[in-house]
Amino acid sequence: MLPAPKWLSHLLGLAVLEPGVSSILLLALLALGTWILVKGLAWVQRYYVNCQRLRCFPQPPLKNWFFGHLGLAPDTEEGICYLQELSRLFSDVHIWWMGPFTPTIRLNHPQVISPLLKASAIIAPKDKLFYGFLKPWLGDGLLLSKGDKWSRHRRMLTPAFHFDVLKPHVKIFNQSADIMHSAISLGLWGRDHDHHHPGASSRILQAKWRRLCAEGSNYLDMFEHISLMTLDSLQKCIFSHNSNCQEKPSAYISAIMELSSLVVKRYNQPLLYWDALYYLTSQGRHFSRACRLVHDFSNAVIQDQRCILAQQGSEAFLRDKAKSKTIDFIDVLLLAKDEDGKALSDKDIQAEADTFMFGGHDTTASGISWVLYNLAQHQEHQDHCRQEIQELLRGRQPEEIEWDDLSQMPFLTMCIKGSLRLHPPVAMISRCCTKDIQLPDGRIIPKGNICLVSIFGTHYNPAVWPNPEVFDPYRFDISKSQKISPLAFIPFSAGPRNCIGQNFAMSEMKVVLALTLLRFRVLPDKDPVRRKPEIILRAESGLCLKVEPLLGPSSPEAHLSEAPQE
């Protein structure tokens, strides 16, 4: 054993130890120091090479060398305007520094977006930073899973969104919209309602839109009402469960809304990115408690349905569902099998159900709210939509949107798409490149970098959309659709990992908007609306609009009074 130099042993406090022990500890410390130095030098070299390879991409002026571009685009109206300006200045791609050592590549043109969105989930998986905050809640559902597991689940879940499964949900959308628009009996739409109960039409629980208007409260926060309505619909479509959350508080619904809020708060507090610290805070404890409540609910439904399935058998189970003409999301997942005949575990089913509840309520509520906002700003388009719906439903009693009607509302569909372009519910999506990705012009995005596909930047890119800030539904006229790049309009993303529930969302949006425009005129608030991008696009102080009831047979009260005689 080599004796340790005296000065080094003294410096490290090893002089008091036996010479042999001192030498071993010194060698261990030298080995550790060498390993740290080698790793540090390797990181510096990779960082330098990556920066050199990224020099082909332009970048906006930095805030400073340490923060990079952080703080230049806050989650405010001013931040959104800054991003719109970047879309004009950098029409395809630019670098965005998240601090001194973390570059991200922002893409906002169909040509540069195409290679990334068309890449497989293995080559371009979702970035772990933000999505990782959702994992304790959503597990390995479609939103967060990757590789073979994602591919297997995607194939198994696709039947849940087949048209034959979606058709019966249209009736649920009608019912949820009716509840939102007026004071509705608790039993009218419940699964246990007896249509011949003499007191059914008198059990009014809570005033909704029409009653609020009658009381003089014409200015309503669209997000507040429509979010509850979409959550109501989703619980019925996923779990066949009627929580009556539009009429009374629901612990499950409150937990979902709390979880969404807590994820946004954590994203804006970098010190809480570390799990060990986060779960020591009050926020972390609230998050854990809400997660347990949501998981307990979904797990209880899964176990109940699995027991019924085991008792009846698959064929009898499906026959019962065929009689009721509905099959919910949990049913499809319980019956799903892959190519090898292997079913999903309870944990997988729970993750997919929780993911659908999370991804389906806020995004659809945002989409519907912003369509009403844009139609309030453009009364001529609102009148055109209303006339289209009135002609479609002329002579029907009651006036209810049916499945076949969804393809017969071309102008309303154009208005929905025009609004989704101006106000996409999700502003951007992130991917992490596991391999080099070559762009059409020959430039290469080096592997290991995070890419931000800017849905907002693409929709506001003047090189893609002339006069991008103008709400113009006629951009989406079928006769002009050939001229639009498929990746110029991506509110539901695109490629292999596009939103599996987009047909569900569009169907719900059409039904709710059609019934709303039949029954109400929507007018803008006197105060300007300031956009606020969070997980989904919101408004800073709520999206307040004035609603004026329209008289006619489409009133939900008319349906309510007819219910006992049906």
Side-chain angles (χ1 to χ4, degrees):
M1 186 69 64
L2 292 174
K6 292 182 179 180
W7 66 270
L8 188 55
S9 296
H10 181 75
L11 179 66
L12 296 174
L14 304 178
V16 296
L17 300 175
E18 292 291 331
V21 176
S22 175
S23 297
I24 292 172
L25 289 175
L26 182 60
L27 286 173
L29 288 172
L30 288 174
L32 178 62
T34 303
W35 181 82
I36 292 173
L37 180 62
V38 169
K39 287 290 186 181
L41 290 173
W43 180 87
V44 169
Q45 197 239 1
R46 287 196 304 271
Y47 174 75
Y48 175 78
V49 170
N50 190 50
C51 288
Q52 292 299 309
R53 297 185 69 188
L54 291 175
R55 290 182 66 182
C56 59
F57 300 112
Q59 67 180 38
L62 299 170
K63 182 176 183 179
N64 56 52
W65 73 270
F66 183 76
F67 288 103
H69 295 101
L70 288 176
L72 292 178
D75 296 337
T76 61
E77 177 68 27
E78 290 74 22
I80 289 180
C81 291
Y82 180 74
L83 294 178
Q84 290 178 219
E85 180 65 13
L86 290 183
S87 298
R88 187 183 66 80
L89 295 174
F90 305 97
S91 62
D92 55 359
V93 59
H94 61 273
I95 301 292
W96 187 264
W97 286 88
M98 308 285 288
F101 306 118
T102 310
T104 58
I105 297 97
R106 282 181 179 256
L107 312 169
N108 52 12
H109 193 283
Q111 289 182 349
V112 295
I113 288 173
S114 178
L116 193 74
L117 290 187
K118 291 180 179 178
S120 71
I122 297 174
I123 295 175
K126 293 191 174 180
D127 170 45
K128 293 181 180 178
L129 178 59
F130 175 73
Y131 292 108
F133 298 159
L134 297 167
K135 199 168 186 69
W137 172 16
L138 305 182
D140 270 335
L142 275 185
L143 182 66
L144 303 181
S145 59
K146 56 185 178 182
D148 292 339
K149 182 169 187 177
W150 175 86
S151 300
R152 174 176 175 263
H153 282 212
R154 177 81 181 206
R155 290 193 300 271
M156 294 175 74
L157 264 66
T158 297
F161 298 95
H162 189 273
F163 294 135
D164 290 337
V165 177
L166 292 180
K167 284 180 184 179
H169 292 162
V170 170
K171 192 166 190 68
I172 293 175
F173 301 153
N174 277 271
Q175 294 165 357
S176 296
D178 287 345
I179 295 170
M180 178 177 70
H181 290 154
S182 187
I184 296 292
S185 161
L186 172 62
L188 181 60
W189 303 122
R191 56 201 300 186
D192 302 323
H193 172 64
D194 180 358
H195 287 280
H196 303 288
H197 193 290
S201 62
S202 63
R203 295 195 311 246
I204 303 301
L205 285 183
Q206 180 179 335
K208 299 302 284 184
W209 286 23
R210 284 186 179 273
R211 182 70 64 82
L212 290 169
C213 290
E215 294 171 354
S217 302
N218 289 72
Y219 288 91
L220 306 178
D221 181 357
M222 294 293 106
F223 272 98
E224 178 184 341
H225 290 264
I226 296 174
S227 291
L228 284 174
M229 185 273 302
T230 55
L231 283 165
D232 186 21
S233 290
L234 277 173
Q235 275 203 293
K236 293 170 183 173
C237 295
I238 296 175
F239 302 115
S240 291
H241 177 75
N242 187 0
S243 66
N244 301 304
C245 65
Q246 293 193 78
E247 297 100 336
K248 63 180 183 180
S250 161
Y252 174 75
I253 297 303
S254 298
I256 287 179
M257 300 180 86
E258 182 181 22
L259 287 169
S260 298
S261 174
L262 288 171
V263 168
V264 173
K265 286 182 181 178
R266 186 179 182 186
Y267 183 70
N268 292 321
Q269 297 174 294
L271 290 176
L272 298 183
Y273 286 7
W274 188 32
D275 284 349
L277 177 60
Y278 179 66
Y279 289 107
L280 291 176
T281 66
S282 60
Q283 280 187 42
R285 290 192 295 272
H286 279 104
F287 185 85
S288 295
R289 187 161 52 248
C291 274
R292 283 196 300 273
L293 195 155
V294 168
H295 292 162
D296 288 347
F297 174 86
S298 54
N299 188 55
V301 174
I302 292 167
Q303 296 308 318
D304 287 346
Q305 292 296 91
R306 193 175 284 285
C307 286
I308 294 171
L309 181 59
Q311 291 170 1
Q312 295 182 347
S314 299
E315 294 184 6
F317 184 79
L318 285 172
R319 280 199 301 270
D320 284 351
K321 288 293 179 179
K323 290 177 183 177
S324 65
K325 297 182 180 180
T326 60
I327 181 167
D328 61 41
F329 190 64
I330 292 291
D331 298 334
V332 175
L333 297 185
L334 285 168
L335 295 168
K337 287 182 171 59
D338 62 14
E339 299 85 350
D340 300 323
K342 186 178 179 182
L344 291 168
S345 68
D346 287 352
K347 186 175 181 181
D348 287 337
I349 294 174
Q350 178 180 287
E352 298 301 352
D354 291 338
T355 296
F356 192 27
M357 281 297 297
F358 163 72
H361 86 274
D362 251 2
T363 51
T364 308
S366 175
I368 294 171
S369 299
W370 286 111
V371 173
L372 291 173
Y373 168 81
N374 284 300
L375 292 178
Q377 305 290 326
H378 299 272
Q379 290 293 314
E380 70 282 8
H381 297 325
Q382 185 179 155
D383 289 338
H384 190 165
C385 288
R386 186 175 291 110
Q387 181 181 1
E388 177 180 79
I389 299 158
Q390 288 171 341
E391 290 177 359
L392 178 65
L393 301 183
R394 191 178 304 281
R396 291 197 206 170
Q397 293 298 328
E399 292 177 332
E400 181 176 302
I401 305 299
E402 299 173 355
W403 172 259
D404 291 337
D405 296 329
L406 300 181
S407 60
Q408 304 300 315
M409 297 183 280
F411 190 73
L412 177 62
T413 303
M414 288 159 55
C415 288
I416 292 172
K417 291 182 177 180
S419 180
L420 289 175
R421 185 191 68 81
L422 271 182
H423 298 94
V426 179
M428 67 177 64
I429 52 179
S430 67
R431 298 285 187 268
C432 183
C433 304
T434 60
K435 293 184 179 179
D436 287 356
I437 294 181
Q438 184 170 348
L439 301 181
D441 60 7
R443 288 180 292 179
I444 292 176
I445 299 175
K447 70 175 183 178
N449 284 287
I450 296 171
C451 293
L452 298 176
V453 178
S454 180
I455 297 174
F456 193 88
T458 303
H459 289 184
Y460 277 85
N461 191 337
V464 179
W465 298 97
N467 302 316
E469 296 180 13
V470 175
F471 176 69
D472 180 8
Y474 292 100
R475 298 179 199 265
F476 295 93
D477 192 327
I478 296 176
S479 62
K480 297 179 182 178
S481 61
Q482 300 287 339
K483 304 173 186 177
I484 303 173
S485 166
L487 296 178
F489 176 67
I490 49 174
F492 300 104
S493 186
R497 297 197 69 149
N498 68 337
C499 175
I500 194 173
Q502 58 183 292
N503 289 327
F504 180 97
M506 284 295 291
S507 299
E508 183 172 16
M509 290 175 70
K510 288 181 183 180
V511 170
V512 174
L513 287 165
L515 293 177
T516 301
L517 295 175
L518 266 178
R519 297 164 179 169
F520 299 90
R521 177 169 296 279
V522 187
L523 300 165
D525 189 15
K526 50 187 178 296
D527 298 321
V529 170
R530 289 171 55 85
R531 296 165 292 180
K532 183 176 180 58
E534 291 182 345
I535 294 180
I536 53 102
L537 184 64
R538 297 182 177 274
E540 281 188 10
S541 301
L543 188 56
C544 200
L545 297 176
K546 183 179 181 181
V547 294
E548 294 180 349
L550 299 173
L551 299 177
S554 61
S555 165
E557 287 88 341
H559 304 176
L560 188 63
S561 63
E562 295 168 6
Q565 286 77 41
E566 289 179 359

